[in-house]
Amino acid sequence: MKRLYVNGLICASEDETLLEWSRYEFLSPRMLRTFLEENANEKEIELWVNCYGGDVWAAVEMYNLLKTFSGTSHALITGLCASAATIVMLGCSEVVATPGAQFMIHNAQGAADGDYHDMYTVADQLSTANDALQAIYIKEIGIDAKEIKTMMEKTTWFSADTALSAGLIDRIADLSDAKIAASVLGKEKRFNADLAKDYRVGISALQDAFHHKEEEAIELRSRVLTMEKEKFK
């Protein structure tokens, strides 16, 4: 089965060059589209996810790309699946979490500069994005509209067990499967080994790491937009 790793940041395709220069791990719609085209005749594919989120529009495009795949797509959550990454995973036919995996959903976030008209525009964009994300959650996990809105408003974290209860995932992986166990233990090192072994501090540490990376991503995206504006002055 062909595998694609979804690590780090979900980004717009036009941001790839900048992120490569910054040495970020990332996945863009173009990269996913290429993977799907190269494996169009495969009966099954899998995405291994350890991702803190990123660009909402890119995530929705990737969700739709996965929906067009004619075979069966599997998402295996090997660490963190947060924010926009949860939309990508829901594009797969099956979502499986490893024990200790974490999930987070929240309202769409963004940054802007300009006058108050620009601020209102961004607020409208974020509100519309929230509506779009809620529609996907409702469709894929069968959750009530009021319930998912409340979860997003307050920022909600899930363990593998609570994600299963909420309908975000289909099942929890059995790590007695030697192939899965070897890959998870050998490849997923975004958080240190002590953290991975100490589940009691896992939630707060993952939250801190996510917010740190999310702020970096927003700042990076803001710089890119500023550079694009300057080109047309």
Side-chain angles (χ1 to χ4, degrees):
M1 189 187 308
K2 295 299 178 66
R3 179 184 304 160
L4 178 67
Y5 289 95
V6 185
N7 291 83
L9 180 70
I10 292 170
C11 73
S13 298
E14 60 266 27
D15 292 340
E16 288 178 22
T17 301
L18 181 59
L19 289 169
E20 286 174 353
W21 175 80
S22 302
R23 295 188 178 182
Y24 272 84
E25 287 189 280
F26 63 89
L27 185 71
S28 72
R30 184 196 63 80
M31 295 164 67
L32 176 60
R33 186 166 56 250
T34 298
F35 173 78
L36 294 176
E37 289 172 351
E38 290 175 348
N39 297 287
N41 296 323
E42 294 289 329
K43 293 182 178 180
E44 294 183 278
I45 58 170
E46 58 183 8
L47 274 62
W48 283 34
V49 182
N50 184 17
C51 176
Y52 48 81
D55 190 297
V56 171
W57 296 328
V60 172
E61 180 180 359
M62 292 161 74
Y63 164 85
N64 288 316
L65 285 170
L66 287 164
K67 285 297 184 183
T68 66
F69 180 66
S70 60
T72 301
S73 54
H74 306 274
L76 178 67
I77 314 307
T78 58
L80 174 66
C81 184
S83 189
T86 62
I87 298 300
V88 176
M89 81 172 186
L90 289 174
C92 292
S93 309
E94 181 189 41
V95 181
V96 181
T98 56
Q102 303 293 325
F103 304 80
M104 188 277 285
I105 60 174
H106 65 166
N107 282 335
Q109 298 181 358
D113 58 7
D115 65 13
Y116 72 97
H117 294 292
D118 298 304
M119 303 304 156
Y120 282 131
T121 297
V122 171
D124 287 340
Q125 289 174 344
L126 293 175
S127 179
T128 301
N130 286 338
D131 292 342
L133 299 180
Q134 288 167 23
I136 292 174
Y137 289 126
I138 291 168
K139 177 181 183 296
E140 295 299 334
I141 66 178
I143 194 170
D144 178 75
K146 184 176 180 181
E147 185 177 1
I148 190 62
K149 183 175 182 179
T150 299
M151 287 181 175
M152 291 173 65
E153 287 283 350
K154 69 178 184 179
T155 300
T156 303
W157 285 79
F158 303 85
S159 65
D161 288 330
T162 55
L164 182 62
S165 298
L168 274 173
I169 64 174
D170 297 301
R171 61 186 176 89
I172 299 173
D174 180 2
L175 287 188
S176 62
D177 182 321
K179 182 174 68 173
I180 291 179
S183 298
V184 171
L185 294 176
K187 294 180 181 295
E188 299 303 325
K189 299 177 181 178
R190 177 161 297 279
F191 301 104
N192 63 53
D194 290 335
L195 171 59
K197 294 176 182 177
D198 191 353
Y199 181 80
R200 291 173 301 176
V201 302
I203 291 288
S204 61
L206 285 168
Q207 287 175 324
D208 290 344
F210 168 77
H211 287 301
H212 174 68
K213 288 294 185 182
E214 184 79 355
E215 288 169 3
E216 286 185 5
I218 291 173
E219 181 182 353
L220 182 62
R221 182 63 175 163
S222 179
R223 292 204 304 269
V224 172
L225 291 173
T226 299
M227 290 166 61
E228 290 175 348
K229 287 181 180 179
E230 289 294 329
K231 288 192 299 185
F232 294 101
K233 283 187 175 180

